[in-house]
Amino acid sequence: MKKTTRRMIHVLSWIAFVIYLIMMVYFLFFCEQLGRTPSDTYHYNLRPFTEIKRFLSHVDEIGYFGVILNIFGNVVCFMPLGFVLPILSNRKWGLIRITMVSFVSSLIIEITQLVTKLGSCDVDDIIMNTLGGFLGYILFVICNTIYRASLKKRKK
């Protein structure tokens, strides 16, 4: 890959990552439509898969959009973290490192939501967010493999 192309991808990735972070902060802490309003009480769930089961068993009451937003939204919102971090950094990123960064980032977000009483602290969110970072990295590896294979094909 040409040095200018690599530099352009790096700059665009940084811009996309900053936009992603701004959107994450907004949706996780300020979006009133998602229940991010100050509360007088703590809202938390520390039992794994409790909220996921609740959403799936009450799909008729919550609606498909609510279930998809809660379950798949948490996965999808962390996929860019797993995809973009290897592009932004010169450091070697592996599956375990990306998964750990996704887990710690999600844990920090959930603890912040608990302390500030904005939203709810949910262990299911940590599980889904970590899965999202994991899947984002898998997607990065697949895309990177396809890209490198196409470069080799062009050189022949």
Side-chain angles (χ1 to χ4, degrees), residues 6 25 45 57 65 69 75 96 113 131:
R6 179 176 284 157
V25 167
N45 166 41
S57 64
F65 180 74
L69 181 66
V75 173
I96 293 173
Q113 286 182 331
L131 177 63

Side-chain angles (χ1 to χ4, degrees), residues 142-155:
I142 291 168
C143 290
N144 196 32
T145 303
I146 292 169
Y147 176 74
R148 290 182 186 273
S150 71
L151 280 180
K152 283 182 183 178
K153 202 178 275 188
R154 280 190 229 154
K155 287 183 180 181

Side-chain angles (χ1 to χ4, degrees), residues 78-79 81-83 95-96 98-99 102 128-140:
F78 262 67
M79 287 180 73
L81 191 67
F83 191 89
L95 187 60
I96 293 173
I98 286 291
T99 304
S102 298
M128 302 297 246
N129 294 343
T130 303
L131 177 63
F134 175 90
L135 293 175
Y137 183 74
I138 298 295
L139 184 62
F140 166 77

Side-chain angles (χ1 to χ4, degrees), residues 33-83:
Q33 288 86 2
L34 295 177
R36 307 305 189 239
T37 55
S39 175
D40 293 337
T41 59
Y42 293 102
H43 300 278
Y44 60 91
N45 166 41
L46 302 178
R47 281 199 265 141
F49 306 108
T50 300
E51 286 297 304
I52 295 169
K53 288 177 191 172
R54 185 178 70 83
F55 269 85
L56 292 174
S57 64
H58 292 89
V59 71
D60 293 334
E61 297 152 27
I62 297 169
Y64 287 102
F65 180 74
V67 172
I68 290 170
L69 181 66
N70 186 285
I71 294 176
F72 296 108
N74 279 309
V75 173
V76 170
C77 80
F78 262 67
M79 287 180 73
L81 191 67
F83 191 89

